[in-house]
Amino acid sequence: GAVVSQHPSRVICKSGTSVKIECRSLDFQATTMFWYRQFPKQSLMLMATSNEGSKATYEQGVEKDKFLINHASLTLSTLTVTSAHPEDSSFYICSAPRGQGAGNTEAFFGQGTRLTVV
Amino acid sequence: GEDVEQSLFLSVREGDSSVINCTYTDSSSTYLYWYKQEPGAGLQLLTYIFSNMDMKQDQRLTVLLNKKDKHLSLRIADTQTGDSAIYFCAEISDTDKLIFGTGTRLQVFP
């Protein structure tokens, strides 16, 4: 089946540094990828929609300058948490839908990245 | 707006059946999903159902869909301790966004 690979799975960084998280679709092309954030014991919150070849679309309340998204190719999207602070510590998950539109779509998830900012 | 709701906790005895319920609001969703998340791990797709189906069975899993009431359920037969996890239902919007429920924490005790 289709696989989405997310890297790294865990990262610890110092306050003020930037962290890049990669999301790759391994056996299909994804013109769109989604980035989610999950707080402890809470559901997943959609942060942004990553669009290949154009700017990402951010959900309300998500700082685009803090969470930089680059969708450089049809198989790779990156999320960079800039100037990270302890409150950015969270579990970040990417997903990529396969298919055109909701009529023929399955969504595949990366393994998630546990970010801890100290 | 789009909203997906689930009960937060479910506790069952090993060997019994578990039923996790979900209600959603977007009647145009063509797919509805169930995901499993084990502690500290990512999401695992368990099963999904097309909106034109009432039921789907996959080994120990049975998904029931009541489109009129916008109600989705996941039944796990012969629940095992390894089934202990958080279960999320999700609907897909017409822009391919997944809208997740709040998650149901299933605890299986011996």
Side-chain angles (χ1 to χ4, degrees):
Chain A
V3 177
V4 172
S5 176
Q6 187 173 340
H7 178 80
S9 58
R10 289 180 182 275
V11 58
I12 300 173
C13 71
K14 289 186 177 180
S15 228
T17 60
S18 295
V19 173
K20 181 187 283 189
I21 303 169
E22 292 187 349
C23 182
R24 293 181 186 273
S25 56
L26 297 185
D27 58 357
F28 67 100
Q29 293 181 332
T31 55
T32 302
M33 292 187 180
F34 299 99
W35 288 96
Y36 295 85
R37 181 174 179 177
Q38 185 179 30
F39 294 95
K41 299 184 180 180
Q42 292 189 33
S43 188
L44 295 100
M45 179 191 78
L46 178 64
M47 297 175 66
T49 303
S50 172
N51 304 299
E52 190 270 335
S54 64
K55 290 182 181 179
T57 306
Y58 290 82
E59 297 300 301
Q60 193 172 8
V62 178
E63 298 175 61
K64 60 181 68 176
D65 295 330
K66 180 159 192 64
F67 299 100
L68 298 178
I69 291 173
N70 186 350
H71 199 139
S73 75
L74 287 170
T75 58
L76 173 64
S77 174
T78 60
L79 168 68
T80 302
V81 183
T82 63
S83 187
H85 290 282
E87 57 265 32
D88 298 324
S89 299
S90 195
F91 194 61
Y92 294 87
I93 305 177
C94 69
S95 81
R98 183 177 67 178
Q100 299 296 319
N104 186 27
T105 299
E106 297 174 53
F108 299 92
F109 284 81
Q111 303 93 324
T113 298
R114 171 73 61 193
L115 170 63
T116 303
V117 184
V118 299
Chain B
E2 300 149 333
D3 196 16
V4 181
E5 295 187 355
Q6 299 176 238
S7 52
L8 292 180
F9 298 102
L10 177 65
S11 184
V12 299
R13 190 181 298 276
E14 191 174 16
D16 288 350
S17 293
S18 308
V19 179
I20 302 171
N21 294 302
C22 171
T23 57
Y24 61 98
T25 56
D26 188 350
S27 59
S28 66
S29 291
T30 53
Y31 284 68
L32 294 144
Y33 300 82
W34 283 103
Y35 290 90
K36 177 183 180 182
Q37 184 181 36
E38 295 182 358
L43 292 175
Q44 172 194 357
L45 176 65
L46 282 179
T47 186
Y48 61 90
I49 188 168
F50 293 100
S51 60
N52 62 358
M53 297 170 64
D54 298 324
M55 185 182 84
K56 179 179 179 181
Q57 187 151 3
D58 185 0
Q59 299 181 338
R60 292 191 298 124
L61 305 178
T62 303
V63 179
L64 295 178
L65 175 60
N66 182 329
K67 204 172 178 184
K68 174 176 170 288
D69 294 338
K70 296 179 189 171
H71 183 266
L72 183 73
S73 68
L74 174 69
R75 179 177 180 270
I76 305 172
D78 187 25
T79 312
Q80 302 297 308
T81 53
D83 295 325
S84 294
I86 301 175
Y87 291 81
F88 292 96
C89 65
E91 61 174 345
I92 197 158
S93 73
D94 56 1
T95 56
D96 285 346
K97 292 180 185 178
L98 275 172
I99 312 298
F100 285 90
T102 47
T104 299
R105 185 177 294 274
L106 173 65
Q107 183 177 11
V108 183
F109 58 94

